[in-house]
Amino acid sequence: ANFKDDFHFGFFQADDKNDPNLQKFNIPKLPAVQLLFVNPAVTPQQEASGNVQMNSAPFPGPMNYIYLRQWLLEAKNQIKRKDEAKSPGKVTPPPHVTTQKEFEDECKSKGGLCAIAFIPGTSSSSQSMFEDRMERAFEAAKLTSGRPFTWIVVDPIVQKTFAKAFDVLPHNSPTVTVLQPRKGRYATMSGSFDPRELARHCELVLNGKTRTFMIQDVPKIIDGGESEDENDYEPEEPIEEEFDLNDIMGEETEDATLGLTRAEIAELERKKEEEELAEAARVKEEEEKKQQQQKSSGKKKKKKGKKGKKKKEDL
């Protein structure tokens, strides 16, 4: 089973049973798996504030793929059912927009913010994958119901010029772009295509807590779609390939941001700034230690000089 769109996976190594991370999550022995999740009672508005405490649940079974897979499936379904229970019932699935008139009717004319779910169609992905992603967009629409959002679905492969205007390319779809038609600004999400992540992105844009970009002219939706280039997109199929991690890590490119979207570049710039601040703090700390050592060394030499002078006077 592939849970990459359902969960974020992280790993940490503990060499000591007294490791604070083990104590924090009450982990008696290793290896172990803990599921961290936001309480379903938390609203997307509260989650967008960033001040939400995570709940945790330990994996109770043996460290076996079959048991772990079943446990994750049950956890996924339980959270989904609770989300559905708290969502208003009068929410319709986002319409699949294929013409300019539909885009104007469903997005521009309704005011507020337009959440465009860019989901590749069945020509570039399997039917089951397409239906799953449509369902995820529907769940996100439910989570943001009652807020000023109108949801639509656009195929970024068939409408590649329209999608590219919002920094949506085959490699970063499916994704969601929140468009402010009247202001001509947008923000494309960089993250997993998870209903809660989609809803959180919408709330961040609404609250002005994420960066938006100017778009002067929104390209028109081409009725019937653009002609597909076979090099634009390759169907998503699982590929098993042997590779050497050292080869990948050793690769160098002239431009590290080549092919990245503005949202991904902004994230790289943020991380780079954090690293530079951390490096500056480290250098400052080292300089302070060096100055402290020099002061201590000077005091010792001064004391030694006084003792030598005293001995000479005694003679």
Side-chain angles (χ1 to χ4, degrees):
N2 191 339
F3 294 101
K4 69 176 183 179
D5 290 332
D6 302 301
F7 302 99
H8 294 287
F9 290 89
F11 303 86
F12 74 87
Q13 184 176 356
D15 298 322
D16 188 350
K17 65 179 182 180
N18 295 322
D19 188 289
N21 287 316
L22 298 182
Q23 297 177 356
K24 180 178 180 180
F25 296 107
N26 195 26
I27 299 175
K29 62 179 182 178
L30 297 176
V33 176
Q34 285 271 348
L35 176 64
L36 302 180
F37 59 94
V38 177
N39 192 308
V42 175
T43 65
Q45 295 93 320
Q46 293 172 326
E47 192 171 346
S49 70
N51 187 24
V52 177
Q53 187 174 358
M54 302 289 286
N55 293 352
S56 67
F59 172 54
M63 198 60 63
N64 178 286
Y65 169 78
I66 296 176
Y67 290 103
L68 183 57
R69 175 182 177 275
Q70 186 61 33
W71 181 64
L72 290 174
L73 282 173
E74 291 178 359
K76 171 187 171 182
N77 292 332
Q78 285 181 14
I79 294 174
K80 181 179 178 180
R81 284 195 296 269
K82 289 180 179 179
D83 283 342
E84 290 176 345
K86 71 172 184 177
S87 299
K90 294 182 180 180
V91 179
T92 58
H96 202 153
V97 170
T98 59
T99 68
Q100 179 62 19
K101 185 179 184 306
E102 290 175 348
F103 176 68
E104 292 176 355
D105 292 343
E106 298 292 342
C107 181
K108 283 189 173 181
S109 64
K110 291 190 175 181
L113 302 177
C114 186
I116 308 171
F118 286 101
I119 302 177
T122 54
S123 62
S124 51
S125 63
S126 67
Q127 181 69 30
S128 60
M129 183 176 291
F130 172 73
E131 292 176 353
D132 178 69
R133 289 168 171 173
M134 289 291 289
E135 180 64 24
R136 291 171 185 270
F138 187 22
E139 292 299 319
K142 291 179 182 177
L143 291 172
T144 56
S145 62
R147 313 290 282 169
F149 293 103
T150 299
W151 283 78
I152 64 172
V153 174
V154 173
D155 187 337
I157 311 304
V158 176
Q159 303 290 344
K160 52 181 177 286
T161 302
F162 179 84
K164 191 175 181 180
F166 300 104
D167 302 317
V168 177
L169 302 171
H171 81 273
N172 69 329
S173 60
T175 189
V176 161
T177 294
V178 176
L179 172 65
Q180 299 171 290
R182 293 181 181 177
K183 294 183 178 180
R185 302 194 69 85
Y186 73 94
T188 298
M189 188 185 78
S190 177
S192 63
F193 200 72
D194 174 80
R196 282 186 168 273
E197 289 292 322
L198 303 181
R200 182 173 183 272
H201 176 69
C202 291
E203 290 294 332
L204 290 174
V205 176
L206 180 63
N207 297 329
K209 293 185 178 181
T210 191
R211 188 178 180 184
T212 60
F213 298 92
M214 179 71 72
I215 182 167
Q216 294 181 347
D217 298 312
V218 178
K220 291 185 177 181
I221 295 285
I222 305 300
D223 295 0
E226 300 177 64
S227 59
E228 293 188 47
D229 187 339
E230 61 181 4
N231 296 321
D232 282 344
Y233 196 86
E234 295 181 0
E236 298 173 275
E237 295 179 358
I239 300 176
E240 293 185 3
E241 181 181 359
E242 293 184 0
F243 61 89
D244 187 349
L245 184 60
N246 293 326
D247 293 340
I248 296 176
M249 298 302 291
E251 290 181 357
E252 295 182 357
T253 59
E254 295 181 0
D255 185 359
T257 64
L258 190 63
L260 298 181
T261 64
R262 293 182 184 180
E264 291 170 333
I265 292 173
E267 181 66 14
L268 286 176
E269 291 175 349
R270 184 186 65 80
K271 289 182 178 179
K272 183 179 179 182
E273 184 178 354
E274 290 180 351
E275 291 174 357
E276 290 175 351
L277 291 173
E279 178 64 17
R282 185 187 65 79
V283 171
K284 183 179 179 181
E285 184 179 356
E286 289 182 355
E287 290 179 352
E288 290 177 351
K289 286 183 179 179
K290 190 180 293 185
Q291 292 176 359
Q292 189 66 31
Q293 290 175 354
Q294 289 176 351
K295 288 181 180 179
S296 299
S297 177
K299 288 180 180 180
K300 289 181 180 179
K301 287 181 180 179
K302 191 174 181 181
K303 288 181 180 180
K304 186 175 181 180
K306 287 182 177 180
K307 287 183 180 179
K309 186 177 179 181
K310 188 175 181 181
K311 287 182 180 179
K312 189 174 181 180
E313 288 175 353
D314 291 341
L315 291 173

